[in-house]
Amino acid sequence: MAFEKSNAAAMSGLRGVRSGKTGALCRCVSLYLLLGWLPVSLVQADITDGNAEHLKREHSLIKPYQGVGTSSTPLWDFGGSTLLTSQYVRLTPDERSKQGSIWNRVPCFLKDWELHVQFKIHGSGRKNLHGDGIGIWYTKEKLQPGPVFGSKDNFHGLAIFIDTYANDESSERSFPYISAMVNNGSLVYDHGKDGRPTELGGCSAEVRNQDHDTYLAVRYSKGRLTVMIDVEDRNEWKECFDVAGVRLPTGYLFGASAATGDLADNHDILSMKVYQLMVDHTPEEDSMDWTKIEPSVSLLKSPKDNIDDPTGNFRSTPLTGWKVFLLLLCALLGIIVCAVVGAVVFQKRQERNKRFY
């Protein structure tokens, strides 16, 4: 199945389709945009079209996996239980107590980028008898084994977790569960609460033991982090979450890791493709030293304030998509109601004044 999102022009907007037949759709969307008929949530920034001109091969892991390990031009390092084959990179086998990872050796200095990950999680374990999951990373550190899905805790950068086992039995979440975390080295991932205290956003996704491959897209552009998935083999994206106010530096490294504990699974990476997003920045932004930015998120409350909140509510603070549309719609209806009431009151006063003359 082809995994390239076809959406060549930024004004095409719709992020739901991964096929190449978007020309007529894009023209229709542009027309609706001019007429103001489409809500904001349907026309947000596009997922890249996947053209070769935007693909950054030095940051991409593609079959036949050239430049991995001890090759003459190594671009990727791997360690732990990772096994390299001609068809996939197996981070862990379906065995207990395994950890494996693979990391790009070339720092990424793109200000705006998009990462597409093709992966597969499968094993012999039955429902609720498998674990633990995969971590997708954009971090300062690499190849440092640890307790967070096979990589170190207190990391610097961004992590996307594909968690297949619920440690917190009191949680109402459905697993597998995909979530994100930004860390400046001061935060600890809480396994007991499945990362809720530091979660930026998340969604449930049936990614395990599928007959088809599953996909994840991570888009970072102008301080906005968007994660989308295709796990149903429908050849279209579905939004997992969208968070504004994210600050990430350049010069960090892409990677993937996985771990098993008492329960196990095969955790396979089939490809990781990084695309450059063509985005204009202000002169002030261009003059900044992006390597000095500290990873952070501008939230209404800090992740540390969410430790005792079992729902992880702070991840829903950014007003995006339908929330913005509904808020604007309510405001518009309120203005109309006030105008009608004002007109009626004014007319009544005019009629009353006439009776006095």
Side-chain angles (χ1 to χ4, degrees), residues 244-289:
V246 178
R247 289 174 56 83
L248 296 174
T250 59
Y252 280 13
L253 301 160
F254 290 105
S257 67
T260 63
D262 292 335
L263 303 174
D265 254 337
N266 296 303
H267 297 100
D268 298 341
I269 299 292
L270 283 75
S271 69
M272 296 178 66
K273 299 179 181 180
V274 176
Y275 298 92
Q276 181 177 8
L277 300 178
M278 310 309 292
V279 177
D280 292 329
H281 288 272
T282 65
E284 291 78 11
E285 291 173 332
D286 286 331
S287 64
M288 289 173 50
D289 186 353

